[in-house]
């Protein structure tokens, strides 16, 4: 006796004669069930499968994992980056390209100037000051070289006088009949050696000061002058390039080039004006510093030489004190590293 079990109409699944579920009815059932589910459940995927137990077929719902409040859909398509990633190799290549173009323009400008075909910007007053500075640097270098030679020769003379004084003093002790004569000469040579060391200290101080002036202060100013000259060449090169473009036709192709050339010309003009101003300021301060330094050093050199050859030991020592020059104690060497430990 067959007993009918209460079933929902939505769960009635027709079965074919061979025990398989009819595909069309299963598809309709899945569709109806998905429509009947509330949207608030947030199920991302719902699948209806059928399992057969004897002759009874029941619908089983398999639900996917809960994905939050909304259903996520993956859409395929091109990926668009917000910011363009810069390539270091391309940046270096662009820098090399700009450097090569700038070098070509400057080289062409230099060659045209040497051949007398190109024009150059000249600041007569500034150029005259630069020429005087370079000429004075050569003369100061010659003075420095001669002063170093004098210092070397004076050192040798002082060393010889010290040795001669020691020899006279030794003979004074061993020759009783010439004890006084050898003694006088020993004292004289030692005094000359002492005064020579004092003079040597003054000359070395003069050399150090002039060397700082020539090889540091003046050299630093000449480096700025070199930068100024390079800026002038770049300025003239881009000025010439702009003039050539302005003489040519003006159309849709040349106008962007003229505008770019005008922009580059203005940038190099500002650089040239800045470097010219820097050179003028440095030359002004250099002249003031040079006068002050050389005035003191020339007074020192004159007073020391005059006092030495006049035999005025007190005046010679006073000259060194005036310029705060400290001499090393003669015959006293610096302590060795073992003594310092």
């Amino acid at each position: 006796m067959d007993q009918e079990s209460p079933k929902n109409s939505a769960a009635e699944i027709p079965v074919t004669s061979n025990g398989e579920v009819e595909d069309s009815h299963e598809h309709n059932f899945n569709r109806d069930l998905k429509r009947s589910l509330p949207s608030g459940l947030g199920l991302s995927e719902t699948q209806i499968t059928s399992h057969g137990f004897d002759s009874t077929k029941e619908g089983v719902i398999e639900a996917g994992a809960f994905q939050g409040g909304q259903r996520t859909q993956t859409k395929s398509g091109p990926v668009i980056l917000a910011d363009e990633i810069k390539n270091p190799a391309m940046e270096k290549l662009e820098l090399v390209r700009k450097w090569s173009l700038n070098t070509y323009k400057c080289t062409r400008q230099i060659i045209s100037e040497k051949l007398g075909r190109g024009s150059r910007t000249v600041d007569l007053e500034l150029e005259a000051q630069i020429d005087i500075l370079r000429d004075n640097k050569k003369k100061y270098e010659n003075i420095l070289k001669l002063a170093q030679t004098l210092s070397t020769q004076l050192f040798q003379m002082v060393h010889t006088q010290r040795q001669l004084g020691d020899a006279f003093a030794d003979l004074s002790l061993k020759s009783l009949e010439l004890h006084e004569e050898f003694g006088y000469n020993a004292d004289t040579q030692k005094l000359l050696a002492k005064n020579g060391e004092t003079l040597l200290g003054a000359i070395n101080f003069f050399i150090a000061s002039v060397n700082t002036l020539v090889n540091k202060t003046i050299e630093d100013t000449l480096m700025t002058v070199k930068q100024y000259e390079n800026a002038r060449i770049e300025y003239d090169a881009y000025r010439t390039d702009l003039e050539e473009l302005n003489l040519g036709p003006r159309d849709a192709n040349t106008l962007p080039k003229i505008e770019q050339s005008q922009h580059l010309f203005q940038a190099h003009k500002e650089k040239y004006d800045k470097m010219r101003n820097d050179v003028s300021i440095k030359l002004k301060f250099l002249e003031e510093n040079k006068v002050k330094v050389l005035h003191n050093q020339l007074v020192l050199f004159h007073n020391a030489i005059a006092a030495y050859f006049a035999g005025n030991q007190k005046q010679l020592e006073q000259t060194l004190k005036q310029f705060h020059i400290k001499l090393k104690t003669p015959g006293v060497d610096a302590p060795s590293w073992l003594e310092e430990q």
Side-chain angles (χ1 to χ4, degrees):
M1 182 176 181
D2 295 336
Q3 184 178 2
E4 294 180 358
S5 59
K7 296 182 180 179
N8 192 304
S9 61
E12 293 180 357
I13 305 176
V15 182
T16 61
S17 59
N18 59 359
E20 297 179 355
V21 182
E22 188 176 357
D23 293 340
S24 61
H25 293 283
E26 182 180 2
H27 174 71
N28 294 332
F29 172 74
N30 292 341
R31 181 186 61 188
D32 296 337
L33 182 59
K34 290 181 180 180
R35 289 178 179 178
S36 64
L37 289 176
S39 60
L41 292 178
L43 299 178
S44 63
E45 183 180 1
T46 304
Q47 181 180 0
I48 309 301
T49 59
S50 300
H51 300 278
F53 296 96
D54 295 335
S55 62
T56 306
K57 303 296 180 180
E58 295 183 356
V60 180
I61 300 175
E62 293 182 358
F66 182 70
Q67 299 294 336
Q70 298 178 353
R71 182 174 179 178
T72 304
Q73 297 181 354
T74 303
K75 297 182 179 180
S76 61
V79 179
I80 301 176
L81 298 179
D83 296 330
E84 183 181 357
I85 301 177
K86 295 182 179 180
N87 191 350
M90 294 302 296
E91 291 182 353
K92 292 181 179 179
L93 186 62
E94 181 66 17
L95 291 176
V96 171
R97 188 190 69 83
K98 291 181 178 179
W99 175 83
S100 301
L101 182 61
N102 184 74
T103 303
Y104 165 73
K105 291 180 180 293
C106 294
T107 304
R108 185 183 63 177
Q109 177 66 25
I110 293 173
I111 294 175
S112 63
E113 289 180 2
K114 290 185 177 180
L115 294 177
R117 298 176 181 176
S119 61
R120 55 169 297 181
T121 303
V122 179
D123 189 331
L124 297 178
E125 182 179 358
L126 189 60
E127 292 290 339
Q129 294 178 2
I130 293 174
D131 292 340
I132 292 175
L133 175 63
R134 286 173 172 161
D135 185 61
N136 287 338
K137 184 175 184 289
K138 293 180 181 179
K139 294 179 179 179
Y140 295 153
E141 287 174 343
N142 184 45
I143 291 176
L144 185 61
K145 182 180 179 180
L146 294 175
Q148 290 172 344
T149 302
L150 177 62
S151 175
T152 302
Q153 294 173 350
L154 181 61
F155 175 80
Q156 294 295 335
M157 186 181 72
V158 169
H159 180 67
T160 302
Q161 288 174 338
R162 189 182 300 110
Q163 290 181 332
L164 189 59
D166 293 339
F168 283 149
D170 183 62
L171 290 173
S172 175
L173 296 176
K174 296 180 180 179
S175 302
L176 298 178
E177 63 280 5
L178 298 174
H179 171 73
E180 294 184 358
E181 288 78 0
F182 280 123
Y184 293 153
N185 283 277
D187 294 340
T188 301
Q189 294 301 320
K190 289 181 180 180
L191 180 60
L192 289 174
K194 182 180 179 180
N195 292 341
E197 290 173 353
T198 305
L199 177 62
L200 189 61
I203 294 177
N204 288 337
F205 186 77
F206 172 82
I207 291 173
S209 299
V210 175
N211 181 68
T212 301
L213 176 65
V214 173
N215 294 323
K216 290 185 178 181
T217 308
I218 295 180
E219 188 64 28
D220 178 70
T221 304
L222 290 178
M223 288 295 295
T224 306
V225 170
K226 184 64 177 178
Q227 295 175 1
Y228 157 75
E229 291 176 345
N230 292 336
R232 197 275 307 167
I233 293 175
E234 291 179 352
Y235 165 70
D236 283 338
Y238 283 91
R239 176 183 57 80
T240 303
D241 190 38
L242 179 61
E243 290 175 354
E244 292 177 355
L245 289 175
N246 287 329
L247 292 176
R250 291 177 175 267
D251 51 25
N253 294 328
T254 59
L255 285 178
K257 295 181 180 180
I258 294 176
E259 183 178 355
Q260 182 183 8
S261 180
Q262 179 67 35
H263 176 71
L264 293 174
F265 165 74
Q266 188 64 30
H268 285 86
K269 183 178 184 301
E270 293 176 358
K271 180 181 178 182
Y272 167 72
D273 292 337
K274 179 180 179 300
M275 293 306 305
R276 180 174 58 182
N277 185 51
D278 291 345
V279 170
S280 299
I281 294 175
K282 280 202 170 186
L283 287 175
K284 179 181 178 181
F285 283 110
L286 175 63
E287 186 65 22
E288 296 176 356
N289 186 38
K290 180 191 70 174
V291 171
K292 181 179 179 180
V293 170
L294 288 181
H295 170 76
N296 294 332
Q297 296 306 315
L298 291 174
V299 170
L300 164 67
F301 192 84
H302 172 267
N303 292 345
I305 293 290
Y308 173 79
F309 285 101
N312 193 340
Q313 181 181 358
K314 292 183 179 180
Q315 182 64 32
L316 183 60
E317 293 176 353
Q318 184 64 30
T319 300
L320 267 65
K321 291 180 180 180
Q322 178 183 355
F323 291 93
H324 307 285
I325 302 174
K326 294 182 180 180
L327 300 177
K328 295 181 180 180
T329 305
V332 177
D333 297 331
S336 64
W337 65 270
L338 185 59
E339 294 174 344
E340 292 178 352
Q341 296 296 329

